[in-house]
């Protein structure tokens, strides 16, 4: 992926490896418990991410010849490593940093940040979807916490509706559709279900 560097080329680029020594910082930036968990996540998606095609509009969604032939991706090498592209994506989800700030920290262009997020967000959603499934009653009972024992195994799922603030759409009709009276701003609405053992079992 071609990404122009910021004008501050001499600035030292931020990276996941600069905080890999501290699980506390990894959690603060990504929401994951440790660097080991972060590395596990990267390893799960690396195989498909190596030849991943970056989003450049609707025309870029089809499979390319090199992908169909399972060959190496042609062209210029990535500006950032796969680890740092995942890091940027998790930072955005965790901290909701503006793209200009991320671009400055990683010494890349704002366009590059936007392209990374537009590519990695749906990619991670597709790759990690198999990890979210509706467990059997026996699986739930196997990890039933003590505080739920009083319900005799009747609790299968705890649901919660959450809203995430998003950028205001330019179209009035779209803005009306996503506007939240509760948050007083446009939001993304999500229904999440978790098991009594705190495992996510459903996302709308």
């Amino acid at each position: 992926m071609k990404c122009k560097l910021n004008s501050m080329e001499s600035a030292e680029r931020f990276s996941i490896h600069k905080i890999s020594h501290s699980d506390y910082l990894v959690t603060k930036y990504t929401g994951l418990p440790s660097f080991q968990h972060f590395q596990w996540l990267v390893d799960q998606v690396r195989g498909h991410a190596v030849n991943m095609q970056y989003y450049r509009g609707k025309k870029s969604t089809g499979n390319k010849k090199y992908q169909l032939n399972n060959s190496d991706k042609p062209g210029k090498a990535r500006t950032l490593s796969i680890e740092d592209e995942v890091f940027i994506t998790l930072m955005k989800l965790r901290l909701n940093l503006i793209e200009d700030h991320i671009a400055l920290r990683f010494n890349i262009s704002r366009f590059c940040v936007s392209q990374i997020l537009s590519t990695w967000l749906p990619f991670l959603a597709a790759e990690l979807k198999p990890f979210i499934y509706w467990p059997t009653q026996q699986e739930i009972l196997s990890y039933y916490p003590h505080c739920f024992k009083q319900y005799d195994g009747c609790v299968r799922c705890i649901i919660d509706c959450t809203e995430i603030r998003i950028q205001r759409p330019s179209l009035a009709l779209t803005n009306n559709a996503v506007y939240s009276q509760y948050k007083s701003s446009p939001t993304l609405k999500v229904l999440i279900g978790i098991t009594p053992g705190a495992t996510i079992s459903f996302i709308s």
Side-chain angles (χ1 to χ4, degrees):
M1 178 177 58
K2 295 181 180 179
C3 296
K4 294 182 179 179
L5 297 178
N6 274 325
S7 57
M8 298 177 62
E9 293 184 2
S10 60
E12 189 174 4
R13 180 177 293 163
F14 193 42
S15 170
I16 181 63
H17 296 291
K18 291 186 179 298
I19 63 170
S20 60
H21 64 281
S22 171
D23 288 343
Y24 171 80
L25 289 177
V26 171
T27 301
K28 286 295 183 181
Y29 277 99
T30 70
L32 299 176
S34 67
F35 179 71
Q36 185 177 2
H37 286 84
F38 175 86
Q39 200 61 57
W40 176 88
L41 173 61
V42 173
D43 290 341
Q44 295 302 307
V45 301
R46 186 186 299 277
H48 290 158
V50 170
N51 288 330
M52 181 171 60
Q53 178 185 348
Y54 290 87
Y55 183 76
R56 292 184 175 88
K58 293 182 179 180
K59 293 183 179 180
S60 64
T61 56
N63 289 327
K64 298 296 184 181
K65 186 176 181 180
Y66 71 87
Q67 293 173 318
L68 297 175
N69 295 335
N70 198 27
S71 57
D72 292 338
K73 182 181 178 182
K76 186 179 178 181
R78 278 183 167 91
T79 300
L80 300 177
S81 65
I82 290 177
E83 286 83 357
D84 281 338
E85 291 187 2
V86 174
F87 185 34
I88 285 175
T89 306
L90 295 181
M91 282 178 60
K92 178 63 177 178
L93 292 172
R94 174 70 169 176
L95 304 174
N96 197 25
L97 300 173
I98 61 173
E99 294 180 5
D100 294 284
H101 178 79
I102 297 174
L104 183 63
R105 294 294 299 273
F106 286 85
N107 200 18
I108 56 178
S109 68
R110 183 182 181 278
F111 170 77
C112 184
V113 174
S114 178
Q115 199 171 53
I116 288 172
L117 295 175
S118 297
T119 302
W120 274 96
L121 286 171
F123 176 75
L124 285 177
E127 290 291 306
L128 301 179
K129 187 176 181 179
F131 292 98
I132 301 175
Y133 74 100
W134 192 263
T136 65
Q137 185 173 13
Q138 186 57 46
E139 288 175 321
I140 291 176
L141 292 176
S142 297
Y143 300 95
Y144 219 60
H146 180 74
C147 59
F148 279 86
K149 296 294 184 182
Q150 58 180 311
Y151 300 110
D152 297 324
C154 294
V155 179
R156 298 286 299 273
C157 179
I158 301 98
I159 62 173
D160 178 56
C161 294
T162 186
E163 294 184 272
I164 304 170
R165 285 187 173 88
I166 60 174
Q167 183 177 343
R168 187 180 303 277
S170 57
L171 296 178
L173 289 177
T174 304
N175 183 59
N176 289 338
V178 299
Y179 187 80
S180 168
Q181 296 290 342
Y182 178 70
K183 295 287 187 178
S184 298
S185 68
T187 62
L188 175 68
K189 287 80 171 172
V190 182
L191 176 65
I192 298 178
I194 64 171
T195 67
T199 300
I200 296 177
S201 56
F202 176 81
I203 298 180
S204 63

